[in-house]
Amino acid sequence: MTDMADMTTDPLGRGLSGRTAVVTGGAQGIGAAVVTRLCAEGCRVLVLDTSEEHGKAAVERWRDQGHEVHLAVADVADEHAVRDAFAALPPTWPAPTLLVNLAAGFVFKGLDATREDWRAALDPTLIGLSLVTREFAAGLPPDASGAAIVNMASISAHIAQSGYLTYNTGKAAVLGFTRCAAQELAPRGVRVNSVSPGTVWNAGNERYHREVLGLDRAAAEAAPEHGGRFLLGRFADPEEVAAPIAFLLSAEAAFITGTDLPVDGGYLAV
Ligand SMILES: NC(=O)c1ccc[n+]([C@@H]2O[C@H](COP(=O)([O-])OP(=O)(O)OC[C@H]3O[C@@H](n4cnc5c(N)ncnc54)[C@H](O)[C@@H]3O)[C@@H](O)[C@H]2O)c1
């Protein structure tokens, strides 16, 4: 904290206000909750997402609330699209010093996975993660101390789940990437961490539980094999993942790097 202005606008010294953040997969779900949270923290946000439909609708909502959010419709695994997305940032914005990598390949296959399945799983989750992180790191200001990255892992990164080989392998790779990127960027003062949520109640999970399992949220949370696997006996709301992500980005986490924070209602504890 350097002056009285900071004390007025940032009394807890979180250090997020006025900064530019990049959020991949920010058009909906957990990513949209992260964007909403970072806007509330006083950030400008570049949303990088393949969904023009969801992205445009969400950006319009944020702008109506007075926030500065820019949408780049881009696939994180497309090197040129990623470069163009960063290049298209409004010139008046400060260079991005916060990055949240959430875009992922939702492919759930076992050992029968084809080469195409593996590419669909790992291109966004791993290759996209690396391309976006590289572009972000290249654009950091010379004094990058205070810059921070949070990558999206999952409880699936830590456990085996039947039929999840492709997805869980990608998420486990996110943990390795996070540790190595933290080591590589530490000399520049950049911190890199990940979060590992359990089931987060978003549109996709609502649809899956209703259509495949025939369960609404209350019934799914009451079922021993679903909500019952979490010590807290329930699923998370997206905002409950966005808050720890904002914490890891903030100056309050200034001595935390190269690690993973489970946000899992106690799933991995037992
Ligand atoms: N929902 C859960 O229960 C849960 C639990 C643990 C981890 N996660 C992880 O959280 C992240 C967000 O998941 P969600 O459930 O909010 O998903 P979601 O489907 O609601 O949102 C994902 C967003 O990413 C975008 N996207 C997908 N592929 C992309 C690509 N190649 N390039 C750019 N954007 C792309 C989609 O358009 C979408 O807007 C993912 O990494 C997921 O693996 C989710």
Side-chain angles (χ1 to χ4, degrees):
M1 205 168 297
T2 53
D3 57 28
M4 288 305 290
D6 284 339
M7 290 192 66
T8 313
T9 56
D10 187 18
L12 295 176
R14 289 173 65 77
L16 294 175
S17 186
R19 293 171 64 181
T20 300
V22 178
V23 180
T24 75
Q28 57 191 316
I30 302 168
V34 170
V35 177
T36 299
R37 175 68 192 231
L38 292 178
C39 286
E41 298 267 6
C43 296
R44 299 173 175 87
V45 186
L46 167 65
V47 173
L48 213 153
D49 201 294
T50 43
S51 174
E52 183 166 14
E53 182 197 348
H54 287 102
K56 276 189 168 166
V59 166
E60 204 175 299
R61 279 199 308 277
W62 289 311
R63 286 185 178 160
D64 285 350
Q65 293 161 6
H67 301 302
E68 291 184 75
V69 182
H70 182 81
L71 172 69
V73 178
D75 181 343
V76 290
D78 178 336
E79 200 164 3
H80 299 294
V82 168
R83 194 170 307 146
D84 290 350
F86 277 78
L89 268 171
T92 52
W93 288 19
T97 52
L98 304 169
L99 171 63
V100 185
N101 283 305
L102 290 138
F106 297 96
V107 177
F108 301 91
K109 287 281 175 77
L111 278 173
D112 59 337
T114 62
R115 183 180 176 79
E116 288 67 39
D117 292 329
W118 278 109
R119 292 207 57 160
L122 298 183
D123 272 2
T125 302
L126 181 57
I127 309 299
L129 167 66
S130 75
L131 294 177
V132 173
T133 304
R134 186 180 69 183
E135 196 65 32
F136 170 81
L140 283 170
D143 176 9
S145 58
I149 301 171
V150 176
N151 300 323
M152 177 57 82
S154 166
I155 55 170
S156 298
H158 302 265
I159 59 174
Q161 291 166 293
S162 181
Y164 272 47
L165 178 62
T166 45
Y167 182 77
N168 290 21
T169 300
K171 289 300 180 183
V174 172
L175 300 181
F177 179 94
T178 298
R179 283 190 289 267
C180 292
Q183 184 182 44
E184 199 168 323
L185 291 171
R188 298 179 65 191
V190 184
R191 297 179 300 102
V192 189
N193 293 291
S194 62
V195 291
S196 283
T199 304
V200 181
W201 198 254
N202 62 1
N205 269 326
E206 192 275 331
R207 200 167 44 247
Y208 169 77
H209 282 83
R210 181 169 36 83
E211 290 176 4
V212 180
L213 305 175
L215 299 172
D216 64 13
R217 181 170 183 170
E221 289 183 331
E225 70 276 28
H226 301 299
R229 288 182 183 247
F230 297 88
L231 287 185
L232 295 179
R234 65 174 181 85
F235 305 138
D237 289 314
E239 295 74 21
E240 293 176 300
V241 180
I245 288 175
F247 160 72
L248 286 173
L249 291 174
S250 80
E252 292 182 283
F255 204 55
I256 303 176
T257 196
T259 196
D260 181 67
L261 176 62
V263 185
D264 66 349
Y267 188 107
L268 295 172
V270 286

